[in-house]
Amino acid sequence: MNILQIISEALESLNANKLRAGLTILGIVIGVAAVIAMLAVGTGAQDTILGTISGIGTNLLFVFPGNFQQDVRNEQPLTFGDAAAIADVFQAPHIQAIAPVIRGTISANFGGETASFEVLGITPEFETVANFPLTEGGYISEDNVNGRASVALLGPEVADKLFGRREALIGETIRLEGQPFRVIGVLQSKGGGSFGSQDNIIMVPISTARLRLLDRERDQLDVIYAQAVSADAVPLAYEEIAQILR
C-alpha cells in the first residue's frame, strides 16, 4: 500500500464519519487552545509578580515594631536610635542603606476637591532605598527635613484625584489637614503593593509629618526600610537586624 492509497482511504473514512471527525477535530482544537490560554495566564501572572518585586527591590527589608506572628506583652516602638544602629556598618555589615519612615492617613484639598490619602514622612534616602523615582520635579532634600519645609511629593493617583492630571504640577499649592503645602514633585506609577496602592500616597519631610500632620513622639518611627547589599545577602541582613533589635 503506497502513501496515496493511505491518504485516499483516510479521506474516505473521514467523509463517511463526518460528525465523529468534526467532533474529534473540535476536541483537539479546544484542548490546544486551553493549554495555550493557561500558559499565557501563568506567564502573565509571573510577569506581574516579578514586576512588583523588582519595583520595590529584591534586596529590601521592612522593619516594623512588635511581632506579627505572636503577641508581645511589652511592645516597644521603633526609634531613630534603632535606625542608626541598623545603619552602623560594624553592627550590620550586610545593610547598604536605611530609610526611616512615619506614616498615617490625612485629608488633602485642592480647588474644592478633598480626599483622604496615606502620607509618608521620609528622608532623602527613601528615593533610592525604596526605589521611588519621579516623573517630574525634585525629591525631598536634607534642607527640607532640617527646615521642616511645607513641601510634598504626590503619587499619580493623588494627582489625578486632586488636579485631574499628572503633569505641570510643580509649584501648585495643596492643603494637608488644612495647612498649605507646595508640590515639588510627582512620583512614577508603581501600582499595588504589600501595603495597598503605592500610587495613592503623599510624601513630605519626616520632620514636617511628625510635628504638623501625624503628631508622633520625637524619636518614634513606624517602619524602617533597610536595603541589603545584595539579594543574596538578605538572610544575613535579616539576622543582623534581628540581633540589633533584641
Side-chain angles (χ1 to χ4, degrees), residues 88-160:
D88 186 342
V89 67
F90 296 105
Q91 295 190 68
H94 293 93
I95 298 295
Q96 179 172 295
I98 63 100
V101 174
I102 60 175
R103 60 197 301 159
T105 302
I106 61 169
S107 64
N109 174 275
F110 175 81
E113 293 292 333
T114 302
S116 294
F117 302 103
E118 182 180 24
V119 66
L120 302 185
I122 65 168
T123 60
E125 293 77 19
F126 189 83
E127 177 182 16
T128 53
V129 172
N131 189 24
F132 263 95
L134 303 173
T135 57
E136 67 174 19
Y139 223 76
I140 288 171
S141 67
E142 199 66 44
D143 287 340
N144 295 148
V145 174
N146 293 335
R148 303 170 187 171
S150 299
V151 295
L153 304 175
L154 306 184
E157 288 184 13
V158 178
D160 287 340

Side-chain angles (χ1 to χ4, degrees), residues 3-21:
I3 187 67
L4 293 177
Q5 287 179 303
I6 294 174
I7 294 174
S8 176
E9 291 184 6
L11 291 174
E12 289 177 2
S13 178
L14 289 173
N15 188 53
N17 301 278
K18 294 180 180 179
L19 180 59
R20 183 169 62 184

